[in-house]
């Protein structure tokens, strides 16, 4: 069962496996937050449909995935997100991920090979600082500096 809501600009999808939130703190910045198990591709598909629409509206986007609460990044979800991100690459300035799980880190590292590098954060403070810097920057000028 899938529940969906939009409150103060934050889109939230909830399933028995987890919860995905997505918001745009600036027109050129997308933040996702996932908690739980990214077991199937359903939530990944919903995230990518939304991201694709947002990326089409801006010349260069900065995308931040707060996946510190993600327990599993299953192959089906990772493959879907990676394959759909490849054609978006020319419109993405940066794509950064905060992780807490070694399993999630490994999945993101595999996606990074196909996408040409994904900065990884293991510190919430550094990740949130990077989001603030991207929000305050002009589109296409933010450069991530993770301290993993």
């Amino acid at each position: 069962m899938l529940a969906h809501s939009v409150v103060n600009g934050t889109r939230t999808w909830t399933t028995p496996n987890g919860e995905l939130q997505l918001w745009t703190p600036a027109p050129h910045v997308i933040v996702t937050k996932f908690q739980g198990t990214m077991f199937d591709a359903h939530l990944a598909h919903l995230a990518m449909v939304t991201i694709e629409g947002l990326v089409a509206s801006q010349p260069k986007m900065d995308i931040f995935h707060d996946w510190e609460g993600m327990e599993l990044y299953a192959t089906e979800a990772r493959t879907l997100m990676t394959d759909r991100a490849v054609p978006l690459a020319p419109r993405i300035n940066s794509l950064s991920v905060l992780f807490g799980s070694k399993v999630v880190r490994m999945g993101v590292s595999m996606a990074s090979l196909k996408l040409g590098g994904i900065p990884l954060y293991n510190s919430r403070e550094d990740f949130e600082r990077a989001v603030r810097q991207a929000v305050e920057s002009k589109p296409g000028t933010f450069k991530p500096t993770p301290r993993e």
Side-chain angles (χ1 to χ4, degrees):
M1 183 174 158
L2 174 71
H4 177 252
S5 66
V6 179
V7 177
N8 297 324
T10 299
R11 298 170 178 104
T12 303
W13 296 271
T14 306
T15 71
N17 291 328
E19 180 177 274
L20 172 67
Q21 296 179 318
L22 187 147
W23 65 97
T24 54
H28 63 284
V29 178
I30 299 169
V31 179
T32 72
K33 181 174 185 174
F34 185 84
Q35 293 183 290
T37 303
M38 183 72 83
F39 182 69
D40 58 34
H42 189 67
L43 285 176
H45 169 74
L46 294 171
M48 289 309 298
V49 166
T50 306
I51 289 169
E52 288 162 346
L54 292 167
V55 167
S57 71
Q58 292 290 322
K60 286 288 187 178
M61 298 292 292
D62 293 296
I63 302 172
F64 294 88
H65 292 309
D66 177 347
W67 290 352
E68 186 176 45
M70 184 186 287
E71 299 161 11
L72 175 66
Y73 190 24
T75 301
E76 184 181 358
R78 178 181 46 78
T79 301
L80 182 141
M81 291 190 85
T82 303
D83 289 348
R84 290 186 53 186
V86 169
L88 301 178
R91 299 188 65 90
I92 296 174
N93 179 58
S94 69
L95 171 62
S96 302
V97 177
L98 171 66
F99 71 94
S101 160
K102 290 180 182 179
V103 172
V104 172
R105 183 189 193 290
M106 183 178 68
V108 172
S109 294
M110 291 174 68
S112 181
L113 294 172
K114 194 167 187 179
L115 294 172
I118 297 174
L120 298 173
Y121 291 82
N122 62 8
S123 159
R124 172 155 303 280
E125 181 180 332
D126 291 342
F127 180 81
E128 289 179 358
R129 182 180 310 110
V131 172
R132 284 191 306 273
Q133 289 171 345
V135 166
E136 294 167 359
S137 70
K138 292 181 181 177
T141 63
F142 171 73
K143 300 293 179 231
T145 55
R147 292 186 203 118
E148 184 188 12

